[in-house]
Structures are given as C-alpha cells and as structure tokens.
Amino acid sequence: MDLKFNKNEDHNKLLLSELKQRIAKAKLGGGKARIEKQHAQGKMTARERIDFLLDKDKRSIEIGTLAGGGMYEGHGGCPSGGVVVKIGYVSEKQCIVVANDATVKAGAWFPITGKKNLRAQEIAIENRLPIIYLVDSAGVYLPMQDEIFPDKEHFGRIFRNNAIMSSMGITQIAAVMGSCVAGGAYLPIMSDEALIVDKTGSIFLAGSYLVKAAIGEDIDNETLGGATTHCEISGVTDYKAKDDSDALRTIKKIMDKIGDFDRAGYNRASPSKPKENPDDIYGLLPHSRTEQYDMLEIIRRLVDNSEFEQYKEGYGKTILTGYGRIEGWSVGIVANQRKVVKTKKGEMQFGGVIYSDSADKATRFIANCNQKKIPLVFLQDVTGFMVGSKSEQGGIIKDGAKMVNAVSNSVVPKFTVVIGNSYGAGNYAMCGKAYDPRLIVSWPSAELAVMSGNSAAKVLLQIEKASLKKKGETITAEKEKALFKKVKDRYDEQVSPYYGAARLWTDAIIDPLDTRKWISMGIEAANHAPITKDFNLGVLQV
C-alpha cells in the first residue's frame, strides 16, 4: 500500500477510535453511581434489560446511541436521549425495543427523548415491526415542558401512534418496570398486553403527594398504583412479574406465540462476503473532505462478491447507479462519484457534484428499482448541484427537481449512508432525512450542512463587505480574518456527524464495516411491510 493509503487509514481509524469512546461514554447513561443505585433497588438498567430480552445468538443495531450529546448541559445533560432503542430479535422474531433509562433524570422525558421515542415508533409503523416498551420513567422533564408537551411531534403523539399501530395490527407489548406516571401511564395500557413488576413498578395518573394535595387523600404509591392494585383490583395490567428478569421472560414467551407476517417479497440469495477486503475502506477514504477518490472502490467493498452491475455506466458519471447484493438482499445503489470524470464531449466534471445528466440517470434508475421492487441504497458524498450559467441554461433546476421527485415518491424502502459530504440540495436529492429513508446512518467521516464551513464563511464575508461598501466603509484585513474564523468555527461544529447524531438527523454513526449489517437488517425489517401503493411521479415538468 502507498503512503497516501496509510495516512488515510491512520486518520480514519483515529475517527473510529473517537466514535467508540463517545459511544462507551453514552452507554454509561447517568453514570456508575446511578447504575449502582438502580441495582440496589433490585432493578436492571435499561441496557441490561434489553440485553436480557434479545436473543443472544442474533445481531442487533442501536438507534440514536449518541442522541442528546452536547445538549441540555445546563440541565445536567441527557446521554442517549434518556432512552435506549434497539432493533433485534426476541424469540427469533425481529422487533424494536424501547427502554427508558432511569439513570438519566429518573427516566424523565427531555425534548430529544420524545423525538427518539417517536423515531422508534416510526420505524415500527413503516416496517410493521412488533415494538416492546420497557417503561421506567418519571414523566415529562418539567423545566422543559414547553418543548415536549403540547405540539404535534411532542409527547402526546406517542399515544396517538399507540392507537394507530393497534389499528394496523402491529404488536405492542409494555412492561412497567419502574415509574409510569401521569400521561405516560397511557402508553402501557394502549399496548396490546401490559406487564408490571411487583414492588418496583407503579402506574398512576397522579402520585401520592399530588393526590394528597388535590383531594386530601392519604395513600402510599404501592396501594395507589402498584402491581397488586392493577393486576387484582383495577385490571389495568395483564401480568404480574416478581422481578425484572421474570417480566422479560414473560415477554419472550408472548413473542414466541406470535404468528408469521406477510412479506413484501424482496429478492434474497445466499449471502456472500465481498471479494475485495472491506478493511481497505479506511485507506481508500481520504483524510480531507475535498480530496477526490473512486466511490466504485468503496462499493466493491460493500457488496456481495464485490459484484456491481452498473446502469448507464458511460452517462452521467458523477453519480454511480447499479445493482448488487448486500448479505444476499438485492439492492439498487445510487452513489456520488467523488473523482473528476470526463464526458464523451471531452468536458471535465467535478466529483461529488450532481450535473443534469447525472440527475437524469439517477431519476430513471430510481424509477426502474421501483418497477422491479428493489430496495434503494444511497451512498452520499455530495457537495450539491452544479451551478453557473451553463448549468442554469441547461435546466439543472428541472433535472434536479425530477430526481428529488423520484426520491420523494419512491415506494420501495430506502436506506441512506452518509460517507462524506452531505451539503445543500445534494442532501435532499440523495435521500436525506427529510425523504423518509427507513434507516439513515453516517460514517465518522461525514459532514452534514447547507454548505461547508469554508464556503459559508466566504459567502457571509462577501455579504458583509458589500454591506460596508454601501455605507462607504471598508473592511480591514484583520477584521476580515476574524469574521471568517468566527463563521467557519461555528459551521465546523455544526457540520460534525456528532452534531447531527445528537439531534437524530441520523440514526447512528457507525463503523464503515458495520454498513452491510445495518442495510441487511433494515431490508429484513422492511420485508415485514408489503408495498401498498404504486410508484407515481405525479405532475412534473419534463
């Protein structure tokens, strides 16, 4: 291997090391002391409960591990958004599990907690996956109630989703393993079946202190809403468990009896590993986000047998389109080519930029995949659409709109991997979060923003200088340098993949070598939900 490869490899492995450290810290939740306190109460932690529940010999993926990172520091922080979400298998059935982390503010709901819970339900709804709730929460975090309580995508939407999923026949099971108070008390009761752990689980609309204040009644929490009350008097819950492990074993038994699901019927052959070494990805991916590289070499390390059948190989070369398999699943891949390419007319096109011919090719390929019922995988490393008079006169806006239209109306499941840049309208055309990918992940090398920090700083500098010129003033070299640095530093923080992951713009930041697993498990989940509508581009200026 050459020196450049080795430098790239060192850089990307350092990024991976940072990722692993951040994930390890997030998994500690509220910290070791609070974990020990939970154990002293005879309770497992959220992660221990999920690990106990999921089949040991099966894989799992975690959604939003880094959610909440760097947010709410004035409130003590909210690692992993105060809730753990995993897609895995229980009694050999794929499902999604949501567990409140009581080590983080007693499991209270921050705004990001609500967003993450809604994301879990969205995944369940889109893929018709069974969903299991492991409840242990003090309810809404009151100092921020205005950001979690009343709006459409806030706390109340969760119960609306409970009702919608029930009408869709999606299995919902809830185990109350700690506090379950106020509005949150509706979640387990709106599930198909509800369990409660004796002595540690409790459900009530108002706790004993509030009952005393409201109506003057003296009562303890256990009598008010404990396991005996709800299993033997109110009938609110269906099963009483003696401890956490007993509750989780009961869930396994319930899941074991569930019938099979209707399949979407996506094509799958026997899985094969790539012939090209996936470890090479670390050396192929350049240190700088502005450097050129051949995306085709990345694809060959992601697909089975390293076989990728290109569609329109000689046309629209700044987007690669073609067919392959990932762990046996047939996929259509749309990827930004990151090296400078030459057209048949002898023109040079910049890598990572979407030109009219590339957008046209991608649109037609997306339509083909919808026609053939082939899931789509988008590999993003895009700086945007080509600009300038030639592109505008050539109809770049129209061609870009066609591609965005095709992505928007696609009915096959879509999966997005942000490998490098994800800037501006390129993010949209390449199936960014706003375009409903079933799963969207980024590599540690990713950047997400309207534009790069360098470009943003230059644009804002031009605006500032023009404003001063109108006033008859000039900007000094020193002031220009300071303003440029201020803007660039702010943008550099915001383009970080960790900034996006904290806000759930992506479902996870992953090791590139885990990409195949994420896509494979994602398609397996999508196979639970047959396609119920036709692909239709609607009205479009052709």
Side-chain angles (χ1 to χ4, degrees):
M1 295 296 179
D2 59 20
L3 182 61
K4 182 180 178 181
F5 184 98
N6 291 335
K7 285 184 176 179
N8 288 341
E9 186 176 44
D10 289 344
H11 172 73
N12 286 308
K13 286 191 173 179
L14 280 173
L15 292 181
L16 182 60
S17 176
E18 180 188 2
L19 171 63
K20 289 178 178 178
Q21 289 173 23
R22 287 181 182 245
I23 288 174
K25 184 178 179 182
K27 285 184 175 181
L28 284 175
K32 292 182 178 179
R34 290 180 182 173
I35 291 172
E36 290 171 2
K37 182 179 179 182
Q38 187 136 338
H39 288 162
Q41 295 171 344
K43 297 161 65 176
M44 299 179 182
T45 64
R47 293 184 180 280
E48 289 167 345
R49 287 165 175 165
I50 292 179
D51 289 344
F52 187 97
L53 180 63
L54 294 181
D55 295 347
K56 301 295 182 291
D57 59 343
K58 297 278 190 177
R59 303 182 300 180
S60 65
I61 53 179
E62 183 170 343
I63 305 295
T65 311
L66 299 172
M71 301 170 69
Y72 318 119
E73 296 299 336
H75 297 268
C78 188
S80 281
V83 63
V84 183
V85 176
K86 283 191 178 184
I87 299 175
Y89 304 83
V90 176
S91 299
E92 300 189 356
K93 293 178 178 64
Q94 193 179 35
C95 59
I96 188 162
V97 185
V98 181
N100 301 113
D101 187 350
T103 71
V104 179
K105 297 289 185 183
W109 290 58
F110 283 71
I112 195 65
T113 316
K115 187 173 183 179
K116 188 170 173 180
N117 275 266
L118 289 173
R119 176 61 179 143
Q121 290 185 320
E122 180 182 41
I123 291 170
I125 290 169
E126 286 180 331
N127 300 290
R128 293 182 174 266
L129 276 185
I131 184 167
I132 298 168
Y133 309 99
L134 306 180
V135 185
D136 193 346
S137 171
V140 167
Y141 182 60
L142 291 178
M144 302 187 76
Q145 66 84 27
D146 61 320
E147 297 181 48
I148 181 63
F149 173 66
D151 209 348
K152 180 178 179 180
E153 298 297 328
H154 282 179
F155 191 65
R157 187 78 171 181
I158 290 163
F159 314 129
R160 174 264 187 194
N161 287 348
N162 286 143
I164 295 297
M165 283 190 279
S166 182
S167 72
M168 293 173 67
I170 297 171
T171 297
Q172 299 177 82
I173 301 170
V176 179
M177 311 179 86
S179 295
C180 184
V181 301
Y186 288 106
L187 184 146
I189 312 313
M190 295 188 74
S191 300
D192 299 333
E193 295 184 85
L195 305 84
I196 186 169
V197 178
D198 196 20
K199 301 297 187 286
T200 56
S202 57
I203 310 172
F204 34 65
L205 295 180
S208 56
Y209 293 130
L210 186 54
V211 168
K212 174 67 174 176
I215 64 172
E217 181 183 2
D218 280 311
I219 191 168
D220 62 271
N221 282 339
E222 181 64 25
T223 306
L224 183 66
T228 299
T229 294
H230 286 310
C231 286
E232 300 177 20
I233 301 173
S234 73
V236 163
T237 49
D238 306 309
Y239 305 89
K240 182 199 283 191
K242 62 182 180 181
D243 54 26
D244 282 7
S245 58
D246 185 38
L248 297 169
R249 279 191 289 267
T250 301
I251 293 174
K252 290 186 181 203
K253 292 174 184 176
I254 295 170
M255 287 293 294
D256 182 55
K257 309 300 187 299
I258 293 175
D260 205 355
F261 58 92
D262 294 332
R263 286 171 171 77
Y266 301 118
N267 184 292
R268 192 178 197 186
S270 297
S272 300
K273 293 181 179 180
K275 286 183 178 177
E276 300 290 344
N277 187 0
D279 288 340
D280 292 345
I281 289 173
Y282 302 124
L284 293 168
L285 201 62
H287 176 284
S288 169
R289 290 290 86 239
T290 60
E291 273 189 58
Q292 303 286 298
Y293 66 96
D294 190 353
M295 179 65 83
L296 189 58
E297 292 302 318
I298 301 292
I299 293 172
R300 285 174 176 153
R301 286 153 178 85
L302 294 176
V303 294
D304 291 12
N305 294 316
S306 298
E307 294 174 352
F308 180 59
E309 183 182 349
Q310 286 202 59
Y311 170 83
K312 290 186 176 292
E313 181 177 353
Y315 176 71
K317 293 182 179 179
T318 64
I319 288 184
L320 298 170
T321 54
Y323 304 103
R325 291 188 182 275
I326 292 178
E327 292 198 353
W329 294 104
S330 171
V331 295
I333 295 175
V334 181
N336 302 110
Q337 175 57 289
R338 276 308 311 268
K339 68 176 184 179
V340 174
V341 298
K342 190 174 183 179
T343 69
K344 289 294 182 183
K345 296 178 182 179
E347 298 172 337
M348 303 306 292
Q349 293 184 339
F350 298 104
V353 178
I354 301 175
Y355 290 78
S356 285
D357 54 356
S358 302
D360 175 63
K361 176 171 84 170
T363 300
R364 295 175 70 176
F365 180 72
I366 290 166
N368 278 350
C369 287
N370 275 271
Q371 182 81 359
K372 298 172 183 175
K373 205 161 73 170
I374 298 174
L376 285 159
V377 175
F378 293 82
L379 303 179
Q380 286 192 4
D381 196 344
V382 57
T383 53
F385 285 86
M386 190 59 192
V387 297
S389 60
K390 185 176 180 180
S391 291
E392 298 293 358
Q393 291 167 13
I396 185 67
I397 294 175
K398 179 178 68 177
D399 291 318
K402 287 193 292 186
M403 183 176 173
V404 169
N405 191 307
V407 172
S408 303
N409 286 297
S410 179
V411 297
V412 295
K414 299 167 292 192
F415 302 89
T416 302
V417 183
V418 186
I419 289 176
N421 303 323
S422 181
Y423 294 155
N427 169 282
Y428 300 160
M430 291 295 293
C431 197
K433 183 65 180 289
Y435 293 81
D436 298 322
R438 296 294 176 97
L439 294 171
I440 176 169
V441 297
S442 65
W443 290 359
S445 49
E447 292 188 354
L448 291 85
V450 170
M451 61 182 74
S452 70
N454 200 51
S455 297
K458 288 179 180 178
V459 170
L460 290 172
L461 262 180
Q462 290 176 6
I463 295 170
E464 180 72 12
K465 288 166 77 172
S467 176
L468 290 171
K469 188 177 180 180
K470 283 183 180 179
K471 298 175 183 177
E473 302 175 28
T474 57
I475 184 169
T476 64
E478 186 177 342
K479 185 177 180 182
E480 181 175 331
K481 185 178 179 181
L483 181 59
F484 181 87
K485 184 179 185 305
K486 180 182 178 182
V487 175
K488 187 176 184 304
D489 287 349
R490 185 177 76 244
Y491 261 77
D492 285 345
E493 177 189 353
Q494 293 178 356
V495 302
S496 161
Y498 295 103
Y499 191 91
R503 289 153 182 80
L504 285 174
W505 298 348
T506 58
D507 291 316
I509 305 174
I510 66 169
D511 182 340
L513 300 189
D514 286 335
T515 304
R516 283 168 51 85
K517 177 178 78 170
W518 274 78
I519 293 171
S520 176
M521 288 188 66
I523 297 175
E524 183 182 351
N527 205 32
H528 287 72
I531 296 171
T532 56
K533 61 181 181 178
D534 296 329
F535 176 65
N536 187 341
L537 288 177
V539 177
L540 186 65
Q541 293 188 32
V542 179

